[in-house]
Amino acid sequence: MAHVSLPHDAKAGPTKPEVRAVLLDKLALGPDDHFVEVGSCTGAVTIQASRRAGSITALERKASKVATTRKNLAANDAAADVTVREAEAPDGLPDDADALFLGGSRNYEAILDHAVETEVDRIVMNVSRLEVAGSATEAFREREILDEVVQFQVSHGYELAGATSFDAENPVYMLVGGAGNREREQ
């Protein structure tokens, strides 16, 4: 996976590289896909998705993070046609998305409703809080769009007294599904 440079900080951690790798695999983006990211923050997911999808719409509600997304996009080799919008979803969501990523939990039920109405084929939501993971899982089930829930933990090694120890990142719950007419892969 090509390196992502994030020289501009959004004062919020980007989706970690290991999580992005799984996320991009679940989204299975292709050159004809229109990918939408809700909550672009640093732009890390948008940058990597731009190397696979044909077009991207990145939504971010905070002007400062919109600026950060744009600066980080400029610092990388984004290949797709990328539109960055300052909007609070579901406002600003396009009606022609093939794949959608929710990087946070703000307004997620209204965003999922939009995804169902517009038949978004692939939907992934990352959640870091257990209570939100439970309610989001139920929201996916209620809309009959849940394929799977994945929980994973990433740890990074560091030297400690001449040996290797590990610092753990917070666990991530990834909800995966889709609202399009397709055969679901289990």
Side-chain angles (χ1 to χ4, degrees):
M1 187 171 295
H3 176 73
V4 172
S5 175
L6 300 173
H8 304 281
D9 185 6
K11 296 196 178 180
T15 302
K16 304 293 186 241
E18 297 83 2
V19 175
R20 290 194 310 261
V22 174
L23 166 66
L24 291 168
D25 180 70
K26 298 295 183 184
L27 289 170
L29 298 172
D32 295 328
D33 285 332
H34 180 183
F35 169 70
V36 176
E37 179 179 17
V38 177
S40 63
C41 193
T42 63
V45 171
T46 292
I47 291 163
Q48 282 195 263
S50 76
R51 297 171 182 163
R52 298 174 181 213
S55 64
I56 309 257
T57 301
L59 267 64
E60 176 54 60
R61 67 185 182 91
K62 293 184 177 180
S64 63
K65 291 182 181 180
V66 168
T68 299
T69 296
R70 287 185 174 134
K71 289 177 188 174
N72 283 330
L73 277 165
N76 287 272
D77 58 339
D81 176 23
V82 179
T83 301
V84 180
R85 293 182 183 162
E86 183 179 343
E88 185 165 343
D91 294 339
L93 287 172
D95 291 337
D96 64 344
D98 299 296
L100 172 76
F101 171 60
L102 292 87
S105 59
R106 185 179 203 84
N107 300 334
Y108 72 86
E109 290 194 60
I111 296 163
L112 292 177
D113 288 341
H114 180 85
V116 169
E117 290 169 15
T118 59
E119 297 183 336
V120 176
D121 188 50
R122 286 150 282 151
I123 304 165
V124 176
M125 179 178 178
N126 284 358
V127 180
S128 60
R129 295 173 289 159
L130 180 62
E131 293 82 3
V132 176
S135 62
T137 300
E138 186 58 32
F140 269 66
R141 282 192 179 118
E142 288 170 356
R143 289 159 181 82
E144 298 180 352
I145 58 173
L146 182 67
D147 288 342
E148 66 178 323
V149 179
V150 180
Q151 186 276 325
F152 52 98
Q153 174 77 45
V154 174
S155 299
H156 290 262
Y158 68 95
E159 184 180 337
L160 177 66
T164 303
S165 191
F166 287 86
D167 272 335
E169 299 283 342
N170 287 330
V172 173
Y173 303 90
M174 184 178 286
L175 293 93
V176 180
N181 295 324
R182 64 182 175 92
E183 288 291 318
R184 296 251 204 290
E185 189 177 299
Q186 298 292 334

